[in-house]
Amino acid sequence: MKTLIKKTYEDLSKEAAKIIKEAIQEKPNLVLGLATGSTPIGTYKELIRMHREENLDFSQVISFNLDEYLGLSADHHQSYNYFMYKNLFDYININHKNIHIPDGMTENVEEFLKEYEKKIREAGGIDLQLLGIGSDGHIGFNEPGTPLNSRTQIVKLTESTIKDNSRFFEKEEDVPRFAITMGVQTIFEAKKTLLLASSGNKAEAIVKFIEGPITSQITASILQKHPDTIVILDEVAASRLKRRY
Ligand code: PGA
């Protein structure tokens, strides 16, 4: 695992976008795993700029999103589907047929979960998976206690995640209690992973994930074993690390 510490969120976002750009240039039909939340927004802004100013071409890229709230339709303004279009897809030339986001309104959940895994396999597996981390150490929505060998599944959100995400909703009660997420093992199988974290409320999760034991209580900790993981932190998120890498 390689850890890069950047001065600011802007520097972190630029570095992440540069890594994604290079991967697309190397493999134009890159299978790109994407994430939502506040953290990747700066990276998406920079990718949009690269598309506009540097002709970064997304036309053959195939995307798979990590997760979606169960019960929110694609056009709900807090759905991750809506987020992805408003923060990235509406501004780049990705072929909409190549976009995959879990369907929060699926009627046949079990079938959907299997299909999602199958589509990832058929695309040849994820080449590069972008990740955030929850203040409870989750990746995707894989909350503490989720088995490390889990595949795409339904999960119940923890109180801390509901609290963290309530800032996007009118009231805490409006935050959905369940979500569909790629499993820990599904994420681990990506050929390369790129985890971003900025701001102080992540500092504790960062120390546990990088310096603590590998445990299902901090699902991000599985990445310690991943052969090609880059972690990009800003100074504040890195502030509790005992060792600078
Ligand atoms: P955030 O969420 O980027 O909004 O902090 C990260 C996550 O929960 O994975």
Side-chain angles (χ1 to χ4, degrees), residues 36-40 132-135 138-141 161 165 167-168 202:
T36 51
S38 326
T39 314
I133 184 170
S135 60
H138 71 209
I139 44 173
F141 264 135
T161 298
N165 291 4
R167 68 190 193 276
F168 299 113
K202 300 290 169 67

Side-chain angles (χ1 to χ4, degrees), residues 9-71:
Y9 174 69
E10 284 67 35
D11 298 339
L12 169 162
S13 302
K14 282 193 177 142
E15 183 68 27
K18 186 167 152 261
I19 292 168
I20 296 170
K21 177 185 170 181
E22 285 167 2
I24 296 172
Q25 285 173 332
E26 200 167 299
K27 185 182 177 205
N29 60 346
L30 189 80
V31 181
L32 180 59
L34 294 171
T36 51
S38 326
T39 314
I41 290 177
T43 305
Y44 294 157
K45 281 205 175 104
E46 179 64 5
L47 287 173
I48 293 166
R49 189 199 65 73
M50 288 169 162
H51 169 64
R52 287 185 176 153
E53 295 175 14
E54 298 167 13
N55 295 323
L56 180 59
D57 180 17
F58 290 85
S59 62
Q60 296 179 60
V61 169
I62 299 166
S63 75
F64 283 91
N65 262 81
L66 280 172
D67 46 18
E68 178 61 284
Y69 290 117
L70 198 63

